[in-house]
Amino acid sequence: MGASWTALLIAVVGVAGTLGAALLTQSRADRTKRMELQAAAEQRREERGHAEELLRAEEARQRRRESLERRRACCVALNTAARQYLTEMTNHLHALGRGEGVASSLENLEAARSAFRGSHAESQMILPNVVSRASGAAKERLNEAYGTLRKYAADPATYAEELSTMEAGLHQEVWPSVEAMMKAMRADLGVED
């Protein structure tokens, strides 16, 4: 009976070994598959994170481009309006000096003044402080010159001498502030001299 128990024991150990080996192999295969799935999920998370990072970077670049274009358009409009305002003041001075076309030159001056005010109001909402300070200084000079011109234009006979020298004053006092505004705009936009 010893030999039959031994044979039975060997058979049981063999069957258990075979079954254990199959279970161990299956367990390792399952574990390997789980690890592969986890690695694939981690890689997808990394790829998704990288794609989101690229998307955020592209959106930031797009916002910077749009901001630059908005600032550029605002600067062009404000610079044009300021120069036109000053030009119309000069034109009105000449009309007063000639004594003809005063009404139409005044109408053009008022339109230029209104356009400048609109552009300046918009610029305060869009442009950075350094440009706003320069445009504020230009606005102050332009408005002072406008007030003086309107005062003199109300009685051109009394202020004939002042009117004759006012154009030089515009070039010496007002143009430099408009030029300073333009330089601040160019610096903000990154335009090289």
Side-chain angles (χ1 to χ4, degrees), residues 89 92-97 102 106 109 143-170 173:
M89 275 194 251
H92 190 57
L93 269 173
H94 290 285
L96 287 168
V102 174
L106 179 59
L109 173 58
N143 287 339
E144 287 172 2
Y146 172 82
T148 303
L149 177 58
R150 293 292 288 158
K151 175 184 171 185
Y152 295 164
D155 191 3
T158 304
Y159 295 108
E161 185 178 329
E162 289 86 348
L163 283 168
S164 68
T165 61
M166 188 170 179
E167 185 174 358
L170 289 176
E173 296 174 17

Side-chain angles (χ1 to χ4, degrees), residues 70-140:
R70 200 170 33 253
R71 288 190 339 260
R72 182 187 167 283
C74 184
C75 286
V76 167
L78 182 60
N79 187 50
T80 302
R83 290 173 177 274
Q84 190 62 37
Y85 186 16
L86 193 50
T87 299
E88 292 303 333
M89 275 194 251
T90 304
N91 290 344
H92 190 57
L93 269 173
H94 290 285
L96 287 168
R98 290 188 314 267
E100 57 187 48
V102 174
S104 67
S105 70
L106 179 59
E107 187 176 306
N108 292 341
L109 173 58
E110 291 302 327
R113 179 174 179 248
S114 179
F116 175 74
R117 288 176 66 183
S119 292
H120 187 265
E122 180 184 2
S123 76
Q124 290 175 317
M125 305 312 290
I126 295 174
L127 299 178
N129 287 339
V130 67
V131 179
S132 289
R133 283 190 295 273
S135 69
K139 177 182 176 258
E140 189 175 312

Side-chain angles (χ1 to χ4, degrees), residues 5-16:
W5 280 108
T6 304
L8 183 60
L9 184 61
I10 290 174
V12 168
V13 168
V15 169

Side-chain angles (χ1 to χ4, degrees), residues 33-48:
K33 187 66 172 173
R34 272 193 313 274
M35 289 173 64
E36 287 175 359
L37 289 173
Q38 286 174 348
E42 180 64 30
Q43 183 176 358
R44 282 192 302 273
R45 269 193 302 275
E46 287 176 5
E47 288 173 355
R48 199 169 34 250

